[in-house]
Amino acid sequence: MLWENLREEEFEPMLKETHNVCAIAIGCLEMHGQHLPLGTDTLKGGKILEIAAEREPVCVLPRLYYGDVVHARNEDPTQGTAHYGYFALSGELMLQLLEEICDEAARNGFKKILIVSSHGGNKGMLDFFLRTIMSKKKDYQVFSFYNALVMPSEILNIISQKGREEFPYLTDSDIAVLQDFVDKKHFDGHGGFAESALVLGTYPELVRLDRSEVLSGMHQHKTDFLGDARIAWGGSWWLDYPNAYAGHPPTGLTETIAKASVEIAVQKLVRALGVLKNDELMKQIEHIK
């Protein structure tokens, strides 16, 4: 149930049905090669959350397209020095925005708030945010869930364990594509096969697979010397993957493979929502605190 679609009188019964749990999808606006849209993370994450919330009812807040891509604030695409389309808010504003969103959700009766992130770059920010909220002793709890990519090997493992009937729509050709990807030990990551599958399975009209090979998604190894010295730096990923694309192209990807990928992602999130809706959860947290 989407917050913005509810009428005011529907809120009280909705709070009971959802066990006072709400969730919000957060991603970012950034390049994912030339074959996926700038809003990839929020688009796929938001749709997966909406589908999951239909199976395990929780209230879904409006999506957040702003995430941690702070590095882009130092670049100017109009001068030919960067890519267009990034939208970077300061870290300070992002933390304040998240806190005020959670405060408002709590004021409306939600005691358990799940932030569902589909952008790997949000992890550090969200980890810090969760710890900050804990220190402020709010009258609600905030949790995070990372919408991990569904790799070809994961689909094959599920089929191996449960049989082809788990995804009856997958063809022999689909299985061959997945197996070939695994056998060749192809690299998969940002904008690669798995992420392309999730977008194809949620917003197929926005995917341009014919553009997936115009840029390279291979590691450029420009900051290996830092990693070798066990030094972390905020700009490493973008130097090593200048096209914001990490992985071999999604060759052979089909809508049926995409459908299976989305189904797996939805099932994982449904389980997480069910855990949060457990009425004993808050008692257990209070005991731990």
Side-chain angles (χ1 to χ4, degrees):
M1 50 195 78
L2 304 184
W3 180 304
E4 62 267 34
N5 290 351
L6 292 167
R7 291 177 292 106
E8 193 276 342
E9 65 181 0
E10 295 178 303
F11 241 79
E12 272 195 81
M14 177 272 294
L15 288 169
K16 293 179 182 178
E17 182 182 1
T18 63
H19 296 239
N20 303 89
V21 176
C22 68
I24 181 171
I26 180 173
C28 69
L29 289 168
E30 69 169 350
M31 183 179 178
H32 287 73
Q34 292 293 9
H35 59 295
L36 298 179
L38 294 164
T40 280
D41 295 327
T42 305
L43 287 166
K44 63 183 171 64
K47 181 60 71 174
I48 288 168
L49 173 56
E50 289 174 13
I51 297 171
E54 291 175 358
R55 301 185 191 180
E56 186 66 73
V58 300
C59 185
V60 178
L61 278 69
R63 304 172 182 181
L64 270 180
Y65 279 89
Y66 308 115
D68 187 358
V69 286
V70 175
H71 71 284
R73 292 169 69 89
N74 299 323
E75 302 172 345
D76 185 353
T78 66
Q79 301 303 310
T81 58
H83 301 293
Y84 283 102
Y86 285 75
F87 207 99
L89 302 180
S90 69
E92 295 85 353
L93 179 56
M94 283 301 308
L95 292 172
Q96 181 181 348
L97 177 61
L98 287 171
E99 182 172 354
E100 294 203 16
I101 287 173
C102 291
D103 284 348
E104 283 299 286
R107 187 176 64 82
N108 279 276
F110 294 103
K111 297 304 178 184
K112 292 171 279 188
I113 303 166
L114 181 65
I115 302 174
V116 180
S117 176
S118 294
H119 169 48
N122 284 336
K123 185 181 186 305
M125 176 184 71
L126 290 178
D127 286 347
F128 182 73
F129 176 69
L130 295 185
R131 295 177 69 85
T132 299
I133 290 297
M134 282 289 292
S135 71
K136 294 187 177 183
K137 302 185 185 301
K138 302 281 188 176
D139 63 347
Y140 59 84
Q141 295 293 332
V142 186
F143 308 85
S144 70
F145 176 91
Y146 178 57
N147 241 330
L149 299 178
V150 179
M151 300 298 181
S153 58
E154 183 174 359
I155 301 175
L156 291 174
N157 287 338
I158 292 174
I159 292 173
S160 175
Q161 294 169 13
K162 299 183 178 181
R164 287 281 293 271
E165 59 271 18
E166 187 72 11
F167 309 111
Y169 40 81
L170 287 180
T171 66
D172 290 343
S173 177
D174 290 333
I175 301 298
V177 167
L178 296 169
Q179 193 62 58
D180 182 66
F181 193 93
V182 172
D183 290 345
K184 290 180 177 177
K185 298 181 180 180
H186 279 172
F187 169 55
D188 198 6
H190 193 265
F193 191 101
E195 188 153 35
S196 297
L198 290 177
V199 185
L200 185 65
T202 51
Y203 290 90
E205 70 278 10
L206 300 180
V207 179
R208 285 286 305 275
L209 292 178
D210 62 311
R211 301 288 294 164
S212 65
E213 297 190 47
V214 298
L215 296 175
S216 171
M218 295 297 100
H219 196 300
Q220 300 300 302
H221 301 287
K222 292 183 177 180
T223 65
D224 284 359
F225 69 100
L226 292 175
D228 292 343
R230 302 181 66 82
I231 296 174
W233 177 54
S236 292
W237 193 90
W238 291 276
L239 275 181
D240 289 334
Y241 298 99
N243 298 319
Y245 182 13
H248 285 88
T251 305
L253 177 60
T254 64
E255 291 187 2
T256 42
I257 292 176
K259 182 178 179 180
S261 298
V262 170
E263 176 58 27
I264 293 169
V266 168
Q267 289 180 11
K268 292 177 183 177
L269 186 47
V270 165
R271 180 178 182 277
L273 295 176
V275 169
L276 288 187
K277 288 178 67 178
N278 185 338
D279 290 329
E280 296 298 312
L281 177 62
M282 295 299 277
K283 295 178 184 178
Q284 293 170 4
I285 287 176
E286 287 301 320
H287 176 69
I288 294 172
K289 288 167 63 181

